[in-house]
mmCIF file with all atom_site columns, all heavy atoms in Angstrom:
data_model
loop_
_atom_site.group_PDB
_atom_site.id
_atom_site.type_symbol
_atom_site.label_atom_id
_atom_site.label_alt_id
_atom_site.label_comp_id
_atom_site.label_asym_id
_atom_site.label_entity_id
_atom_site.label_seq_id
_atom_site.pdbx_PDB_ins_code
_atom_site.Cartn_x
_atom_site.Cartn_y
_atom_site.Cartn_z
_atom_site.occupancy
_atom_site.B_iso_or_equiv
_atom_site.pdbx_formal_charge
_atom_site.auth_seq_id
_atom_site.auth_comp_id
_atom_site.auth_asym_id
_atom_site.auth_atom_id
_atom_site.pdbx_PDB_model_num
ATOM 1   N N   . THR K 1 2   ? -52.481 66.124  -11.977 1.00 0.00 ? 2   THR K N   1
ATOM 2   C CA  . THR K 1 2   ? -53.021 66.211  -13.268 1.00 0.00 ? 2   THR K CA  1
ATOM 3   C C   . THR K 1 2   ? -52.026 66.503  -14.210 1.00 0.00 ? 2   THR K C   1
ATOM 4   O O   . THR K 1 2   ? -50.965 67.140  -13.970 1.00 0.00 ? 2   THR K O   1
ATOM 5   C CB  . THR K 1 2   ? -54.068 67.273  -13.242 1.00 0.00 ? 2   THR K CB  1
ATOM 6   O OG1 . THR K 1 2   ? -53.576 68.416  -12.663 1.00 0.00 ? 2   THR K OG1 1
ATOM 7   C CG2 . THR K 1 2   ? -55.307 66.831  -12.589 1.00 0.00 ? 2   THR K CG2 1
ATOM 8   N N   . ARG K 1 24  ? -64.028 86.983  -18.498 1.00 0.00 ? 24  ARG K N   1
ATOM 9   C CA  . ARG K 1 24  ? -64.629 85.836  -17.752 1.00 0.00 ? 24  ARG K CA  1
ATOM 10  C C   . ARG K 1 24  ? -63.915 84.517  -18.002 1.00 0.00 ? 24  ARG K C   1
ATOM 11  O O   . ARG K 1 24  ? -64.056 83.531  -17.287 1.00 0.00 ? 24  ARG K O   1
ATOM 12  C CB  . ARG K 1 24  ? -66.099 85.634  -17.927 1.00 0.00 ? 24  ARG K CB  1
ATOM 13  C CG  . ARG K 1 24  ? -66.955 86.740  -17.300 1.00 0.00 ? 24  ARG K CG  1
ATOM 14  C CD  . ARG K 1 24  ? -68.257 86.202  -17.094 1.00 0.00 ? 24  ARG K CD  1
ATOM 15  N NE  . ARG K 1 24  ? -69.166 87.405  -16.514 1.00 0.00 ? 24  ARG K NE  1
ATOM 16  C CZ  . ARG K 1 24  ? -70.139 87.910  -17.270 1.00 0.00 ? 24  ARG K CZ  1
ATOM 17  N NH1 . ARG K 1 24  ? -70.414 87.443  -18.353 1.00 0.00 ? 24  ARG K NH1 1
ATOM 18  N NH2 . ARG K 1 24  ? -70.720 88.992  -16.683 1.00 0.00 ? 24  ARG K NH2 1
ATOM 19  N N   . PRO K 1 35  ? -54.455 67.338  -0.937  1.00 0.00 ? 35  PRO K N   1
ATOM 20  C CA  . PRO K 1 35  ? -53.256 66.535  -0.792  1.00 0.00 ? 35  PRO K CA  1
ATOM 21  C C   . PRO K 1 35  ? -53.411 65.094  -1.292  1.00 0.00 ? 35  PRO K C   1
ATOM 22  O O   . PRO K 1 35  ? -54.458 64.472  -1.128  1.00 0.00 ? 35  PRO K O   1
ATOM 23  C CB  . PRO K 1 35  ? -52.960 66.615  0.723   1.00 0.00 ? 35  PRO K CB  1
ATOM 24  C CG  . PRO K 1 35  ? -54.200 67.106  1.315   1.00 0.00 ? 35  PRO K CG  1
ATOM 25  C CD  . PRO K 1 35  ? -55.041 67.839  0.307   1.00 0.00 ? 35  PRO K CD  1
ATOM 26  N N   . VAL K 1 41  ? -41.354 65.200  -3.025  1.00 0.00 ? 41  VAL K N   1
ATOM 27  C CA  . VAL K 1 41  ? -40.765 66.230  -2.079  1.00 0.00 ? 41  VAL K CA  1
ATOM 28  C C   . VAL K 1 41  ? -41.989 67.031  -1.430  1.00 0.00 ? 41  VAL K C   1
ATOM 29  O O   . VAL K 1 41  ? -42.920 67.420  -2.225  1.00 0.00 ? 41  VAL K O   1
ATOM 30  C CB  . VAL K 1 41  ? -39.851 67.160  -2.950  1.00 0.00 ? 41  VAL K CB  1
ATOM 31  C CG1 . VAL K 1 41  ? -39.373 68.385  -1.872  1.00 0.00 ? 41  VAL K CG1 1
ATOM 32  C CG2 . VAL K 1 41  ? -38.590 66.509  -3.379  1.00 0.00 ? 41  VAL K CG2 1
ATOM 33  N N   . ARG K 1 59  ? -38.788 72.910  -12.312 1.00 0.00 ? 59  ARG K N   1
ATOM 34  C CA  . ARG K 1 59  ? -38.209 73.493  -13.570 1.00 0.00 ? 59  ARG K CA  1
ATOM 35  C C   . ARG K 1 59  ? -36.743 72.997  -13.952 1.00 0.00 ? 59  ARG K C   1
ATOM 36  O O   . ARG K 1 59  ? -36.425 72.614  -14.951 1.00 0.00 ? 59  ARG K O   1
ATOM 37  C CB  . ARG K 1 59  ? -38.170 74.982  -13.436 1.00 0.00 ? 59  ARG K CB  1
ATOM 38  C CG  . ARG K 1 59  ? -37.719 75.914  -14.622 1.00 0.00 ? 59  ARG K CG  1
ATOM 39  C CD  . ARG K 1 59  ? -38.809 75.863  -15.666 1.00 0.00 ? 59  ARG K CD  1
ATOM 40  N NE  . ARG K 1 59  ? -38.150 76.107  -16.980 1.00 0.00 ? 59  ARG K NE  1
ATOM 41  C CZ  . ARG K 1 59  ? -37.782 77.238  -17.362 1.00 0.00 ? 59  ARG K CZ  1
ATOM 42  N NH1 . ARG K 1 59  ? -38.021 78.362  -16.684 1.00 0.00 ? 59  ARG K NH1 1
ATOM 43  N NH2 . ARG K 1 59  ? -36.988 77.337  -18.612 1.00 0.00 ? 59  ARG K NH2 1
ATOM 44  N N   . GLY K 1 77  ? -47.690 85.001  5.093   1.00 0.00 ? 77  GLY K N   1
ATOM 45  C CA  . GLY K 1 77  ? -46.652 85.159  6.140   1.00 0.00 ? 77  GLY K CA  1
ATOM 46  C C   . GLY K 1 77  ? -45.762 86.423  5.754   1.00 0.00 ? 77  GLY K C   1
ATOM 47  O O   . GLY K 1 77  ? -46.479 87.403  5.374   1.00 0.00 ? 77  GLY K O   1
ATOM 48  N N   . THR K 1 84  ? -40.578 95.137  1.147   1.00 0.00 ? 84  THR K N   1
ATOM 49  C CA  . THR K 1 84  ? -40.200 94.820  -0.320  1.00 0.00 ? 84  THR K CA  1
ATOM 50  C C   . THR K 1 84  ? -38.873 95.555  -0.914  1.00 0.00 ? 84  THR K C   1
ATOM 51  O O   . THR K 1 84  ? -38.666 95.671  -2.033  1.00 0.00 ? 84  THR K O   1
ATOM 52  C CB  . THR K 1 84  ? -41.380 95.205  -1.280  1.00 0.00 ? 84  THR K CB  1
ATOM 53  O OG1 . THR K 1 84  ? -41.378 96.715  -1.549  1.00 0.00 ? 84  THR K OG1 1
ATOM 54  C CG2 . THR K 1 84  ? -42.703 94.709  -0.882  1.00 0.00 ? 84  THR K CG2 1
ATOM 55  N N   . ASP K 1 100 ? -26.634 88.999  -4.617  1.00 0.00 ? 100 ASP K N   1
ATOM 56  C CA  . ASP K 1 100 ? -26.630 89.382  -5.953  1.00 0.00 ? 100 ASP K CA  1
ATOM 57  C C   . ASP K 1 100 ? -27.339 88.453  -6.923  1.00 0.00 ? 100 ASP K C   1
ATOM 58  O O   . ASP K 1 100 ? -27.766 88.785  -7.944  1.00 0.00 ? 100 ASP K O   1
ATOM 59  C CB  . ASP K 1 100 ? -25.150 89.812  -6.350  1.00 0.00 ? 100 ASP K CB  1
ATOM 60  C CG  . ASP K 1 100 ? -25.203 90.920  -7.294  1.00 0.00 ? 100 ASP K CG  1
ATOM 61  O OD1 . ASP K 1 100 ? -25.872 91.954  -7.125  1.00 0.00 ? 100 ASP K OD1 1
ATOM 62  O OD2 . ASP K 1 100 ? -24.599 90.753  -8.425  1.00 0.00 ? 100 ASP K OD2 1
ATOM 63  N N   . MET K 1 118 ? -43.694 93.916  -10.773 1.00 0.00 ? 118 MET K N   1
ATOM 64  C CA  . MET K 1 118 ? -43.428 95.353  -10.660 1.00 0.00 ? 118 MET K CA  1
ATOM 65  C C   . MET K 1 118 ? -42.077 95.703  -9.903  1.00 0.00 ? 118 MET K C   1
ATOM 66  O O   . MET K 1 118 ? -42.042 96.525  -9.085  1.00 0.00 ? 118 MET K O   1
ATOM 67  C CB  . MET K 1 118 ? -44.695 95.957  -9.836  1.00 0.00 ? 118 MET K CB  1
ATOM 68  C CG  . MET K 1 118 ? -45.980 95.804  -10.558 1.00 0.00 ? 118 MET K CG  1
ATOM 69  S SD  . MET K 1 118 ? -47.464 95.923  -9.528  1.00 0.00 ? 118 MET K SD  1
ATOM 70  C CE  . MET K 1 118 ? -47.340 97.784  -9.341  1.00 0.00 ? 118 MET K CE  1
ATOM 71  N N   . TRP K 1 125 ? -30.671 103.819 -1.239  1.00 0.00 ? 125 TRP K N   1
ATOM 72  C CA  . TRP K 1 125 ? -29.634 104.677 -0.516  1.00 0.00 ? 125 TRP K CA  1
ATOM 73  C C   . TRP K 1 125 ? -29.438 104.361 0.916   1.00 0.00 ? 125 TRP K C   1
ATOM 74  O O   . TRP K 1 125 ? -30.353 104.178 1.589   1.00 0.00 ? 125 TRP K O   1
ATOM 75  C CB  . TRP K 1 125 ? -30.053 106.234 -0.570  1.00 0.00 ? 125 TRP K CB  1
ATOM 76  C CG  . TRP K 1 125 ? -30.033 106.951 -1.856  1.00 0.00 ? 125 TRP K CG  1
ATOM 77  C CD1 . TRP K 1 125 ? -30.979 106.864 -2.818  1.00 0.00 ? 125 TRP K CD1 1
ATOM 78  C CD2 . TRP K 1 125 ? -29.009 107.732 -2.274  1.00 0.00 ? 125 TRP K CD2 1
ATOM 79  N NE1 . TRP K 1 125 ? -30.562 107.607 -3.870  1.00 0.00 ? 125 TRP K NE1 1
ATOM 80  C CE2 . TRP K 1 125 ? -29.293 108.227 -3.555  1.00 0.00 ? 125 TRP K CE2 1
ATOM 81  C CE3 . TRP K 1 125 ? -27.776 108.174 -1.742  1.00 0.00 ? 125 TRP K CE3 1
ATOM 82  C CZ2 . TRP K 1 125 ? -28.501 109.092 -4.320  1.00 0.00 ? 125 TRP K CZ2 1
ATOM 83  C CZ3 . TRP K 1 125 ? -26.976 109.059 -2.581  1.00 0.00 ? 125 TRP K CZ3 1
ATOM 84  C CH2 . TRP K 1 125 ? -27.352 109.508 -3.822  1.00 0.00 ? 125 TRP K CH2 1
ATOM 85  N N   . ILE K 1 174 ? -26.680 115.224 7.144   1.00 0.00 ? 174 ILE K N   1
ATOM 86  C CA  . ILE K 1 174 ? -26.306 114.135 6.185   1.00 0.00 ? 174 ILE K CA  1
ATOM 87  C C   . ILE K 1 174 ? -24.981 114.492 5.602   1.00 0.00 ? 174 ILE K C   1
ATOM 88  O O   . ILE K 1 174 ? -24.845 115.473 4.933   1.00 0.00 ? 174 ILE K O   1
ATOM 89  C CB  . ILE K 1 174 ? -27.561 114.009 5.191   1.00 0.00 ? 174 ILE K CB  1
ATOM 90  C CG1 . ILE K 1 174 ? -28.796 113.557 5.781   1.00 0.00 ? 174 ILE K CG1 1
ATOM 91  C CG2 . ILE K 1 174 ? -27.154 113.074 4.096   1.00 0.00 ? 174 ILE K CG2 1
ATOM 92  C CD1 . ILE K 1 174 ? -30.049 113.850 5.055   1.00 0.00 ? 174 ILE K CD1 1
ATOM 93  N N   . GLY K 1 184 ? -34.001 98.273  -5.393  1.00 0.00 ? 184 GLY K N   1
ATOM 94  C CA  . GLY K 1 184 ? -35.354 98.891  -5.642  1.00 0.00 ? 184 GLY K CA  1
ATOM 95  C C   . GLY K 1 184 ? -36.436 98.049  -4.813  1.00 0.00 ? 184 GLY K C   1
ATOM 96  O O   . GLY K 1 184 ? -36.152 97.556  -3.683  1.00 0.00 ? 184 GLY K O   1
ATOM 97  N N   . VAL K 1 185 ? -37.577 98.039  -5.325  1.00 0.00 ? 185 VAL K N   1
ATOM 98  C CA  . VAL K 1 185 ? -38.789 97.487  -4.655  1.00 0.00 ? 185 VAL K CA  1
ATOM 99  C C   . VAL K 1 185 ? -39.516 96.528  -5.733  1.00 0.00 ? 185 VAL K C   1
ATOM 100 O O   . VAL K 1 185 ? -39.453 96.952  -6.855  1.00 0.00 ? 185 VAL K O   1
ATOM 101 C CB  . VAL K 1 185 ? -39.683 98.489  -3.979  1.00 0.00 ? 185 VAL K CB  1
ATOM 102 C CG1 . VAL K 1 185 ? -39.092 99.058  -2.783  1.00 0.00 ? 185 VAL K CG1 1
ATOM 103 C CG2 . VAL K 1 185 ? -40.115 99.727  -4.989  1.00 0.00 ? 185 VAL K CG2 1
ATOM 104 N N   . TYR K 1 195 ? -44.768 82.829  -8.651  1.00 0.00 ? 195 TYR K N   1
ATOM 105 C CA  . TYR K 1 195 ? -44.109 81.579  -8.324  1.00 0.00 ? 195 TYR K CA  1
ATOM 106 C C   . TYR K 1 195 ? -45.105 80.338  -8.314  1.00 0.00 ? 195 TYR K C   1
ATOM 107 O O   . TYR K 1 195 ? -45.034 79.233  -8.765  1.00 0.00 ? 195 TYR K O   1
ATOM 108 C CB  . TYR K 1 195 ? -43.174 81.539  -7.189  1.00 0.00 ? 195 TYR K CB  1
ATOM 109 C CG  . TYR K 1 195 ? -41.790 81.943  -7.520  1.00 0.00 ? 195 TYR K CG  1
ATOM 110 C CD1 . TYR K 1 195 ? -41.218 83.178  -6.871  1.00 0.00 ? 195 TYR K CD1 1
ATOM 111 C CD2 . TYR K 1 195 ? -40.938 81.235  -8.303  1.00 0.00 ? 195 TYR K CD2 1
ATOM 112 C CE1 . TYR K 1 195 ? -39.981 83.605  -7.107  1.00 0.00 ? 195 TYR K CE1 1
ATOM 113 C CE2 . TYR K 1 195 ? -39.586 81.747  -8.563  1.00 0.00 ? 195 TYR K CE2 1
ATOM 114 C CZ  . TYR K 1 195 ? -39.128 83.011  -7.929  1.00 0.00 ? 195 TYR K CZ  1
ATOM 115 O OH  . TYR K 1 195 ? -37.892 83.312  -8.333  1.00 0.00 ? 195 TYR K OH  1
ATOM 116 N N   . ALA K 1 198 ? -46.582 79.636  -11.744 1.00 0.00 ? 198 ALA K N   1
ATOM 117 C CA  . ALA K 1 198 ? -45.629 78.920  -12.631 1.00 0.00 ? 198 ALA K CA  1
ATOM 118 C C   . ALA K 1 198 ? -45.356 77.591  -12.068 1.00 0.00 ? 198 ALA K C   1
ATOM 119 O O   . ALA K 1 198 ? -45.257 76.571  -12.820 1.00 0.00 ? 198 ALA K O   1
ATOM 120 C CB  . ALA K 1 198 ? -44.307 79.759  -12.654 1.00 0.00 ? 198 ALA K CB  1
ATOM 121 N N   . GLY K 1 203 ? -47.130 71.359  -12.483 1.00 0.00 ? 203 GLY K N   1
ATOM 122 C CA  . GLY K 1 203 ? -47.691 70.172  -11.858 1.00 0.00 ? 203 GLY K CA  1
ATOM 123 C C   . GLY K 1 203 ? -47.489 70.186  -10.269 1.00 0.00 ? 203 GLY K C   1
ATOM 124 O O   . GLY K 1 203 ? -47.883 69.242  -9.635  1.00 0.00 ? 203 GLY K O   1
ATOM 125 N N   . THR K 1 227 ? -50.306 65.981  8.914   1.00 0.00 ? 227 THR K N   1
ATOM 126 C CA  . THR K 1 227 ? -50.860 67.335  8.660   1.00 0.00 ? 227 THR K CA  1
ATOM 127 C C   . THR K 1 227 ? -52.380 67.393  9.132   1.00 0.00 ? 227 THR K C   1
ATOM 128 O O   . THR K 1 227 ? -52.859 66.371  9.490   1.00 0.00 ? 227 THR K O   1
ATOM 129 C CB  . THR K 1 227 ? -50.851 67.814  7.159   1.00 0.00 ? 227 THR K CB  1
ATOM 130 O OG1 . THR K 1 227 ? -51.949 67.143  6.498   1.00 0.00 ? 227 THR K OG1 1
ATOM 131 C CG2 . THR K 1 227 ? -49.601 67.454  6.530   1.00 0.00 ? 227 THR K CG2 1
ATOM 132 N N   . ASP K 1 231 ? -51.998 62.302  6.618   1.00 0.00 ? 231 ASP K N   1
ATOM 133 C CA  . ASP K 1 231 ? -50.563 62.067  6.486   1.00 0.00 ? 231 ASP K CA  1
ATOM 134 C C   . ASP K 1 231 ? -50.112 61.976  5.093   1.00 0.00 ? 231 ASP K C   1
ATOM 135 O O   . ASP K 1 231 ? -50.787 61.612  4.294   1.00 0.00 ? 231 ASP K O   1
ATOM 136 C CB  . ASP K 1 231 ? -50.245 60.650  7.232   1.00 0.00 ? 231 ASP K CB  1
ATOM 137 C CG  . ASP K 1 231 ? -50.325 60.628  8.767   1.00 0.00 ? 231 ASP K CG  1
ATOM 138 O OD1 . ASP K 1 231 ? -50.757 61.736  9.298   1.00 0.00 ? 231 ASP K OD1 1
ATOM 139 O OD2 . ASP K 1 231 ? -50.095 59.600  9.342   1.00 0.00 ? 231 ASP K OD2 1
ATOM 140 N N   . SER K 1 260 ? -37.323 84.142  17.270  1.00 0.00 ? 260 SER K N   1
ATOM 141 C CA  . SER K 1 260 ? -38.316 84.884  16.466  1.00 0.00 ? 260 SER K CA  1
ATOM 142 C C   . SER K 1 260 ? -38.736 86.212  17.187  1.00 0.00 ? 260 SER K C   1
ATOM 143 O O   . SER K 1 260 ? -38.988 86.316  18.348  1.00 0.00 ? 260 SER K O   1
ATOM 144 C CB  . SER K 1 260 ? -39.618 83.997  16.422  1.00 0.00 ? 260 SER K CB  1
ATOM 145 O OG  . SER K 1 260 ? -39.128 82.774  15.605  1.00 0.00 ? 260 SER K OG  1
ATOM 146 N N   . ALA K 1 265 ? -44.172 97.058  10.083  1.00 0.00 ? 265 ALA K N   1
ATOM 147 C CA  . ALA K 1 265 ? -44.169 98.080  8.953   1.00 0.00 ? 265 ALA K CA  1
ATOM 148 C C   . ALA K 1 265 ? -45.379 99.035  9.067   1.00 0.00 ? 265 ALA K C   1
ATOM 149 O O   . ALA K 1 265 ? -46.369 98.677  9.710   1.00 0.00 ? 265 ALA K O   1
ATOM 150 C CB  . ALA K 1 265 ? -44.320 97.150  7.674   1.00 0.00 ? 265 ALA K CB  1
ATOM 151 N N   . VAL K 1 324 ? -38.607 109.308 10.529  1.00 0.00 ? 324 VAL K N   1
ATOM 152 C CA  . VAL K 1 324 ? -39.016 109.859 9.204   1.00 0.00 ? 324 VAL K CA  1
ATOM 153 C C   . VAL K 1 324 ? -39.048 111.413 9.233   1.00 0.00 ? 324 VAL K C   1
ATOM 154 O O   . VAL K 1 324 ? -38.639 112.026 8.400   1.00 0.00 ? 324 VAL K O   1
ATOM 155 C CB  . VAL K 1 324 ? -40.457 109.294 8.783   1.00 0.00 ? 324 VAL K CB  1
ATOM 156 C CG1 . VAL K 1 324 ? -40.933 110.007 7.552   1.00 0.00 ? 324 VAL K CG1 1
ATOM 157 C CG2 . VAL K 1 324 ? -40.318 107.823 8.526   1.00 0.00 ? 324 VAL K CG2 1
ATOM 158 N N   . SER K 1 332 ? -45.081 115.688 8.575   1.00 0.00 ? 332 SER K N   1
ATOM 159 C CA  . SER K 1 332 ? -45.494 115.573 9.923   1.00 0.00 ? 332 SER K CA  1
ATOM 160 C C   . SER K 1 332 ? -46.934 115.480 9.975   1.00 0.00 ? 332 SER K C   1
ATOM 161 O O   . SER K 1 332 ? -47.548 114.956 11.034  1.00 0.00 ? 332 SER K O   1
ATOM 162 C CB  . SER K 1 332 ? -45.016 116.827 10.773  1.00 0.00 ? 332 SER K CB  1
ATOM 163 O OG  . SER K 1 332 ? -45.691 117.926 10.254  1.00 0.00 ? 332 SER K OG  1
ATOM 164 N N   . LEU K 1 337 ? -51.888 104.944 8.029   1.00 0.00 ? 337 LEU K N   1
ATOM 165 C CA  . LEU K 1 337 ? -53.106 104.349 7.500   1.00 0.00 ? 337 LEU K CA  1
ATOM 166 C C   . LEU K 1 337 ? -53.252 102.945 7.990   1.00 0.00 ? 337 LEU K C   1
ATOM 167 O O   . LEU K 1 337 ? -54.245 102.578 8.528   1.00 0.00 ? 337 LEU K O   1
ATOM 168 C CB  . LEU K 1 337 ? -53.108 104.345 6.040   1.00 0.00 ? 337 LEU K CB  1
ATOM 169 C CG  . LEU K 1 337 ? -54.381 104.106 5.247   1.00 0.00 ? 337 LEU K CG  1
ATOM 170 C CD1 . LEU K 1 337 ? -55.294 105.307 5.651   1.00 0.00 ? 337 LEU K CD1 1
ATOM 171 C CD2 . LEU K 1 337 ? -54.233 103.997 3.882   1.00 0.00 ? 337 LEU K CD2 1
ATOM 172 N N   . ASP K 1 345 ? -37.328 85.178  11.749  1.00 0.00 ? 345 ASP K N   1
ATOM 173 C CA  . ASP K 1 345 ? -36.415 84.189  12.311  1.00 0.00 ? 345 ASP K CA  1
ATOM 174 C C   . ASP K 1 345 ? -35.082 84.677  12.252  1.00 0.00 ? 345 ASP K C   1
ATOM 175 O O   . ASP K 1 345 ? -34.459 84.461  11.189  1.00 0.00 ? 345 ASP K O   1
ATOM 176 C CB  . ASP K 1 345 ? -36.651 82.858  11.655  1.00 0.00 ? 345 ASP K CB  1
ATOM 177 C CG  . ASP K 1 345 ? -36.737 83.109  10.045  1.00 0.00 ? 345 ASP K CG  1
ATOM 178 O OD1 . ASP K 1 345 ? -37.078 84.046  9.665   1.00 0.00 ? 345 ASP K OD1 1
ATOM 179 O OD2 . ASP K 1 345 ? -36.268 82.128  9.356   1.00 0.00 ? 345 ASP K OD2 1
ATOM 180 N N   . GLY K 1 367 ? -33.849 81.430  8.801   1.00 0.00 ? 367 GLY K N   1
ATOM 181 C CA  . GLY K 1 367 ? -32.884 82.482  9.260   1.00 0.00 ? 367 GLY K CA  1
ATOM 182 C C   . GLY K 1 367 ? -32.675 83.686  8.484   1.00 0.00 ? 367 GLY K C   1
ATOM 183 O O   . GLY K 1 367 ? -31.768 84.428  8.548   1.00 0.00 ? 367 GLY K O   1
#
Side-chain angles (χ1 to χ4, degrees):
Chain K
T2 49
R24 283 207 187 112
V41 177
R59 180 75 210 276
T84 78
D100 208 52
M118 298 166 74
W125 287 85
I174 294 160
V185 288
Y195 274 116
T227 81
D231 288 2
S260 294
V324 171
S332 68
L337 199 65
D345 44 333

